[in-house]
Amino acid sequence: MPQTLDQHALFTGLALPPGGPLYLRLRRWIEAAIAGGALGSGDALPSERDLAKRLDLSRVTVRKAVQELVRDCVLVQRHGSGTFVATTPPRVEQSLSRLTSFAEDMARRGMPVTSFWLERGLAAASPEEMAALGLAAPSQVARIARLRLSGELPLAIERASLSSAILPDPQAVGTSLYAHLEARGHRPVRAVQRIRAVGIDSADAQLLELPAGAAVLQIERTSFAASGAALEFTRSIYRGDTYDFVAELSLGDQHGELRK
Amino acid sequence: MPQTLDQHALFTGLALPPGGPLYLRLRRWIEAAIAGGALGSGDALPSERDLAKRLDLSRVTVRKAVQELVRDCVLVQRHGSGTFVATTPPRVEQSLSRLTSFAEDMARRGMPVTSFWLERGLAAASPEEMAALGLAAPSQVARIARLRLSGELPLAIERASLSSAILPDPQAVGTSLYAHLEARGHRPVRAVQRIRAVGIDSADAQLLELPAGAAVLQIERTSFAASGAALEFTRSIYRGDTYDFVAELSLGDQHGELRK
DNA sequence: CAGTGGTCTAGACCACACC
DNA sequence: GTGTGGTCTAGACCACTGA
């Protein structure tokens, strides 16, 4: 049996904060209800129709406020079910000054890790892959894509491309790509990582259980063999709300120089 | 005199791509027009009302498609003026394995740099500042906040907090905080940087000329003196669409270890 | 089944830019 | 002024969830 409107804890003091457009006032009102404890993690909000009726707004206006909070991962909406206060997973830290595998990294902090193959096969190289790997046209590449999870929580998408000359049989790759490469005599000695913030596209958003457009870290890594040839190009997407990359810098006497 | 609707280049072939909700089809249609060259950087789109009329959609639906593209920095809207294809600035790279100042960094690549004071004074420490700087309650902190630009293009917001014992006179800080600190005998020997992706709030969005919620890199840096005491806590926001952080890793023989 | 969010419409008025 | 985007309304129907 659903609560009646008047019983809902939200409506004990029901004045929208002043100033600006209605949807922003409603947004602040909801944020305040969460900050003030009237709504806790996982709690259901009243339905959009109830909110609209109770606050004398149109449903469109209510939706605009709610949508912004969904985009910012404050609320979660489930089609057919309702709108809920998001349960924010604890943040995860990863060192930037080490090149470690995802599995090692999570094991070190005692988190159960699973991963899910999204793709593992050979394909014609895209122009981007050819440029990143220094391939001559037209070539085949091995593609290895995984969804990484900690327990039930999706954390990252990793998409690696390698020349089929380096990795002719991608199906043989097990839990660690690096271990597989090393076993075949391909050891990276150098890597370049490029980190940027992007809004996630809707396909990847679904995999990571995020709203489309949410801020995520995109990390592109190209690793090189001793010969100087590019071994691997990986583009990874890490959830911005759960992942922190940590870099520790030791400073020498020359201003601005990294020592260690 | 404005172009008539029929003359507008967009409407030469005016079929929306198939599949899914109308606003997504319209979105794909606009993206295709940009990708296909029918719309170039800086070009104006037809007004929302024109698009709605021409494509037989409601204005709300048109707005939903346009809003998504604005959030993703594909389009820019100017109140009272119109909707335009965004002009994407060239990306900027910054090394992560060096601790360099913004000014040095830009000078090295020949970009004219300006900065704008947002705040430079003393204030009561927030709980977060006290925690980051290891201060006892209640303390004063110096706050230094700058908007960094390359030419006309805003690139980053830097907000530094220091104990007033370290920096009693924030007004005396010139272009380089580090130079000022060093002149006063406070030299950082170690720093921890924490990098994550966040959606920008509306106040900072205005400063960086981004739509609210756009993906940005947030970098928190705490630097420490030789004594181990925290010297400075800086939270910076870098535009995700213009900034790449690059880290180069040299790998030793022990798998996963950083050498250099 | 009833209730939820997801999409969509046809209007309206306001605030701002540009002429 | 006119035309633009920004906000807002009162409906409607669809798709999905869960009892």
Side-chain angles (χ1 to χ4, degrees):
Chain A
M1 183 184 72
Q3 276 183 318
T4 72
L5 273 180
D6 302 279
Q7 288 170 341
H8 197 289
L10 265 184
F11 294 113
T12 50
L14 43 45
L16 253 48
L22 285 170
Y23 74 91
L24 286 179
R25 295 169 60 192
L26 173 54
R27 179 189 163 146
R28 287 199 297 272
W29 185 69
I30 296 173
E31 286 174 323
I34 295 171
L39 284 171
S41 272
D43 286 0
L45 260 70
S47 78
E48 297 174 349
R49 287 167 180 86
D50 283 354
L51 276 174
K53 186 167 294 181
R54 251 329 239 186
L55 297 167
D56 202 33
L57 301 172
S58 81
R59 194 179 150 208
V60 177
T61 302
V62 172
R63 273 186 71 77
K64 183 151 187 185
V66 170
Q67 290 281 103
E68 289 209 353
L69 292 169
V70 168
R71 189 203 51 194
D72 292 351
C73 297
V74 174
L75 299 178
V76 177
Q77 287 189 303
R78 284 196 283 275
H79 191 170
S81 174
T83 303
F84 306 86
V85 178
T87 58
T88 45
R91 296 194 74 90
V92 167
E93 291 188 356
Q94 178 164 321
S95 172
L96 261 175
S97 45
R98 287 164 163 265
L99 184 62
T100 51
S101 81
F102 186 88
E104 288 171 15
D105 221 66
M106 288 299 152
R108 199 179 312 123
R109 49 178 72 88
M111 298 177 76
V113 164
T114 54
S115 85
F116 193 90
W117 289 108
L118 301 173
E119 186 180 3
R120 186 163 50 154
L122 296 167
S126 71
E128 184 182 29
E129 289 169 325
M130 287 172 45
L133 296 174
L135 300 177
S139 314
Q140 271 217 325
V141 291
R143 293 214 186 108
I144 302 269
R146 277 182 278 207
L147 176 65
R148 304 285 206 170
L149 307 95
S150 166
E152 293 289 290
L153 183 74
L155 280 185
I157 299 169
E158 275 183 16
R159 293 190 173 90
S161 303
L162 302 87
S163 161
S164 58
I166 303 285
L167 183 66
D169 183 14
Q171 292 286 340
V173 173
T175 47
S176 172
L177 172 60
Y178 276 91
H180 183 84
L181 286 180
E182 219 154 308
R184 288 184 46 90
H186 295 296
R187 203 163 52 75
V189 299
R190 193 171 69 83
V192 175
Q193 289 200 139
R194 186 180 302 273
I195 302 174
R196 68 177 67 158
V198 300
I200 194 167
D201 66 40
S202 44
D204 286 351
Q206 207 155 13
L207 291 172
L208 291 181
E209 295 173 12
L210 288 173
V216 294
L217 284 169
Q218 177 181 285
I219 302 194
E220 292 173 359
R221 182 178 60 212
T222 310
S223 53
F224 300 88
S227 67
L231 268 182
E232 161 234 15
F233 172 70
T234 301
R235 173 173 290 150
S236 304
I237 304 282
Y238 292 86
R239 284 180 62 151
D241 60 342
T242 37
Y243 237 90
D244 276 1
F245 280 83
V246 177
E248 177 143 348
L249 311 176
S250 297
L251 283 55
D253 37 4
Q254 186 187 342
H255 173 74
E257 266 294 296
L258 173 71
R259 250 321 142 78
K260 157 123 185 285
Chain B
M1 182 188 71
Q3 277 183 317
T4 73
L5 272 181
D6 302 278
Q7 289 169 342
H8 198 289
L10 265 185
F11 294 112
T12 50
L14 43 46
L16 253 48
L22 285 171
Y23 75 92
L24 286 179
R25 296 169 61 190
L26 173 54
R27 180 189 163 146
R28 288 199 297 272
W29 186 69
I30 296 173
E31 286 174 324
I34 296 171
L39 284 170
S41 272
D43 287 0
L45 261 71
S47 78
E48 296 174 350
R49 288 168 180 85
D50 283 354
L51 276 174
K53 186 168 295 178
R54 254 323 244 189
L55 297 168
D56 202 34
L57 302 172
S58 82
R59 194 179 153 211
V60 177
T61 303
V62 172
R63 274 184 72 76
K64 183 150 186 185
V66 170
Q67 290 281 102
E68 288 209 355
L69 292 168
V70 167
R71 190 203 51 191
D72 292 351
C73 296
V74 174
L75 300 178
V76 177
Q77 288 190 302
R78 282 196 283 275
H79 192 171
S81 174
T83 304
F84 307 86
V85 179
T87 59
T88 45
R91 296 194 74 90
V92 166
E93 290 187 356
Q94 177 165 321
S95 170
L96 261 177
S97 45
R98 287 164 163 268
L99 184 62
T100 52
S101 81
F102 186 89
E104 288 169 15
D105 220 67
M106 290 298 152
R108 199 180 312 124
R109 50 178 71 88
M111 299 178 75
V113 164
T114 54
S115 82
F116 191 91
W117 290 107
L118 301 173
E119 186 181 4
R120 186 164 50 154
L122 296 167
S126 71
E128 184 181 29
E129 288 168 325
M130 288 171 42
L133 296 173
L135 299 177
S139 314
Q140 271 218 325
V141 291
R143 293 216 185 106
I144 304 270
R146 278 182 277 208
L147 177 66
R148 304 285 207 170
L149 306 95
S150 167
E152 294 288 290
L153 183 73
L155 281 184
I157 299 169
E158 275 181 15
R159 293 192 174 91
S161 303
L162 304 88
S163 160
S164 58
I166 304 285
L167 182 65
D169 183 14
Q171 292 287 337
V173 174
T175 47
S176 170
L177 172 60
Y178 277 89
H180 183 83
L181 286 180
E182 219 155 307
R184 289 183 44 90
H186 295 297
R187 202 164 53 73
V189 298
R190 192 172 71 83
V192 175
Q193 290 200 137
R194 186 181 302 272
I195 302 175
R196 68 177 69 158
V198 299
I200 193 168
D201 66 41
S202 44
D204 286 351
Q206 206 156 11
L207 291 171
L208 291 181
E209 295 173 13
L210 288 173
V216 294
L217 284 169
Q218 176 180 287
I219 301 193
E220 292 174 357
R221 181 176 61 210
T222 309
S223 53
F224 299 88
S227 68
L231 269 181
E232 161 233 16
F233 173 70
T234 301
R235 172 174 289 151
S236 304
I237 304 281
Y238 292 85
R239 282 179 61 150
D241 61 342
T242 34
Y243 237 89
D244 276 1
F245 280 82
V246 177
E248 176 142 351
L249 310 176
S250 297
L251 282 56
D253 38 2
Q254 187 187 340
H255 173 74
E257 266 295 295
L258 173 70
R259 251 320 142 77
K260 159 130 178 280

